[in-house]
Amino acid sequence: MTDPRKNARDEWIARAVVVVAAIATFARGVGGGLVPSWDDGRFLVENPDAQHVSWDALVRMWSAPRFEAYQPLHLLSYWIDVPWAGPSAPVVHAVSLALWCGALLLVLALMRKLGLSLVPAVIATLFFGLHPVQVEAVTWATGRKDVLAVALAAGSAIAHLGSERWNDRRAWISRALYVLAALTKTIVLPLPIVLFAADVVLRKRDARSAAIAQVPSFVIGAALAVVVVGLWRENEMIRTGSGSLSLVLATYAHHLGTALWPASVSPIYPLAREEAPSVAGTIIGCAAIVVTIVLAWRARAHELGRRVLFGMIAFVVLLAPVSNVLPLHFQWHDRYVVLPLLGIAFVLGACVDALRPNRVVVAIALALCAALALRTVAYENAWASDLALWQHAVSAQPRAFYAWLKLGEVRRDAGDHAGALRAYQEAIEIAPQLRLGHGAFMSALLLREEARREITPSHATETAQRFMMRMDDPVALRELAGEMAQMGYRDGVTYALARALDIEPIPDERLERAAQVQLAQGNEWLARFYLSRMGRNPVIPEVIRYVERERARERGEDETPPSPARAPTETEEATRP
């Protein structure tokens, strides 16, 4: 006969283990800064509604979409700390960690409600809560929406599993918590399907009664899904066309791989058009999912089979909104795995539970959780600042266009124009067809020249935008180059002209005559540019004399800026006058 007092004590010890492990793993991130370049700026630093409690701010949060989404509870959560301490990174991170500890206690309760014994439930919760993908939820201030979504979704599931009828008190509490969860994070929308699967697969209820219990949530979820898709389309978060089957399969394989082997976690991944997904990885990942589901289905007469089947269903279903059935602009993100990871964690807990008398199995599972925690602690360093984050991102995912773009932006804003130009050039080489990289390169080029030559007022941002719009029109580029020359720029002029010549080359004779005209006008810097584009030696006498004079002069660094084909080298940067 079991001792109730011992059971209660063991439950409290289990909760303490989960909380202590979470604090030990994520405490390092509390001292990190905000990341204004990755949404912390617009959500916290520049958002007066988050910093000041008022009725008007509350109405704005709930009355209309904000920041390309309708997530009022996410914005409201910052009233816990930001109005009282300001957008203080340590305070915000500490509150998020406290909320995460509460969320994990609910996850532990959910694992127990789903039938796992205490030790396997703790292992499943630790695997889920200490996983490196959760760094983005806990250590990133804007990631608080994931923390809230996990807590509310777990609470909804616990309430549902405690209900006996479709219309009893617990059932309505479950639906209310589901709505609140959906108002914090879109990926929660398929939760009613997961609860239906829990009723049919784990609780052995008939499908008809299980479906009836979820009808109210299905209706609410469908309505919210229509709103979400509309917002995504309005804000160009969905690419034109329908998602390809290959990309959907690659998405599931990628996120399963991230869940099981988080070696290259990053805030940004390459877009599908930048780097084709690995065919072998897609086949292996999808085969693992299908084979596991098939084997679990065949073994559903046994408890382990049912549990594994439910866990895999939960993973697949919860990942569905971001599976690229509707092709997302950013098709992969680590934070997409935050909630679906519950399914994988439950499968792990079920396997440990089936072998629980074997202490070796428990020890191995705990060692796995410890290894994940160590990887998480290391990854937290990347979120200490904007620069650290994007340096990590380009290191982990060197083919990610937007990671290089963000690194360039952070370096540019810090005054490191040379570093920004190198980052932007990497972005251009990855995706030369995207205008953003070219425009950003031009902006950094003009800002560098303004700093060096004291050009005022600044026209860098406006001119870079105009360059982006005209970058495929050689005539418009030459006109823009003339306007920039009148503003006092040189680097931007030659960059625009180089782009025009790449699109529409002109003969060496015309280039030499252009150099001759510029020499006569005293613009040696522009003459040198035209001469650098020639494929033969000059033949015009005054141009020949100029070239010979330059060769005879003590060698110095050319002022000609880099062509679109390459960024300035470190040597060039160090020796430029």
Side-chain angles (χ1 to χ4, degrees), residues 245-442:
L245 178 60
S246 60
L247 182 56
V248 173
L249 296 177
T251 299
Y252 274 103
H254 169 84
H255 289 305
L256 178 66
T258 300
L260 299 180
W261 190 257
S264 299
V265 284
S266 172
I268 285 286
Y269 287 82
L271 303 181
R273 56 182 176 272
E274 297 166 9
E275 183 176 30
S278 167
V279 175
T282 299
I283 293 174
I284 293 172
C286 291
I289 293 173
V290 172
V291 169
T292 303
I293 290 176
V294 169
L295 292 178
W297 173 261
R298 290 183 175 180
R300 66 189 183 278
H302 304 285
E303 186 176 56
L304 178 60
R306 292 194 302 274
R307 288 176 170 180
V308 172
L309 178 61
F310 168 73
M312 295 306 298
I313 290 173
F315 174 76
V316 171
V317 169
L318 290 173
L319 200 56
V322 289
S323 64
N324 287 291
V325 172
L326 293 174
L328 302 176
H329 184 76
F330 295 103
Q331 77 274 4
W332 295 336
H333 274 307
D334 287 340
R335 59 182 175 273
Y336 292 166
V337 196
V338 168
L339 195 62
L341 192 62
L342 280 170
I344 302 298
F346 181 72
V347 170
L348 172 64
C351 292
V352 174
D353 205 6
L355 301 170
R356 190 170 61 86
N358 190 330
R359 294 185 179 182
V360 174
V361 173
V362 173
I364 292 174
L366 289 173
L368 169 63
C369 295
L372 287 174
L374 291 175
R375 179 72 183 92
T376 296
V377 171
Y379 184 35
E380 283 179 278
N381 287 334
W383 291 84
S385 67
D386 293 271
L387 183 60
L389 179 62
W390 300 117
Q391 284 178 333
H392 166 83
V394 299
S395 174
Q397 301 294 333
R399 295 294 299 170
F401 170 83
Y402 282 96
W404 285 106
L405 206 65
K406 282 291 184 180
L407 178 60
E409 174 189 319
V410 170
R411 287 176 171 176
R412 181 199 65 197
D413 293 346
D416 180 11
H417 300 122
L421 290 171
R422 290 193 297 272
Y424 288 142
Q425 188 57 46
E426 291 284 351
I428 291 172
E429 290 178 2
I430 292 169
Q433 77 282 5
L434 296 182
R435 295 173 180 265
L436 279 176
H438 296 275
F441 188 95
M442 174 63 85

Side-chain angles (χ1 to χ4, degrees), residues 487-508:
M487 298 175 193
Y489 296 112
R490 294 183 180 181
D491 292 358
V493 169
T494 52
Y495 186 69
L497 290 176
R499 172 78 182 178
L501 289 173
D502 287 342
I503 299 171
E504 186 179 81
I506 63 176
D508 286 345

Side-chain angles (χ1 to χ4, degrees), residues 126-198:
L126 293 177
F127 175 87
F128 171 79
L130 309 185
H131 197 284
V133 300
Q134 309 297 10
V135 170
E136 202 159 346
V138 183
T139 306
W140 180 37
T142 308
R144 185 176 290 180
K145 56 189 171 185
D146 294 284
V147 176
L148 297 173
V150 168
L152 292 168
S156 175
I158 292 169
H160 172 75
L161 293 172
S163 66
E164 296 296 332
R165 301 182 307 279
W166 74 270
N167 61 347
D168 65 14
R169 180 171 171 269
R170 290 181 179 271
W172 286 110
I173 290 175
S174 173
R175 292 166 194 138
L177 291 174
Y178 166 66
V179 172
L180 294 177
L183 295 177
T184 64
K185 185 74 174 178
T186 301
I187 203 171
V188 173
L189 290 178
L191 182 62
I193 301 176
V194 177
L195 299 183
F196 168 80

Side-chain angles (χ1 to χ4, degrees), residues 218-232:
F218 284 147
V219 173
I220 295 170
L224 289 174
V226 171
V227 173
V228 168
V229 172
L231 288 172
W232 283 357

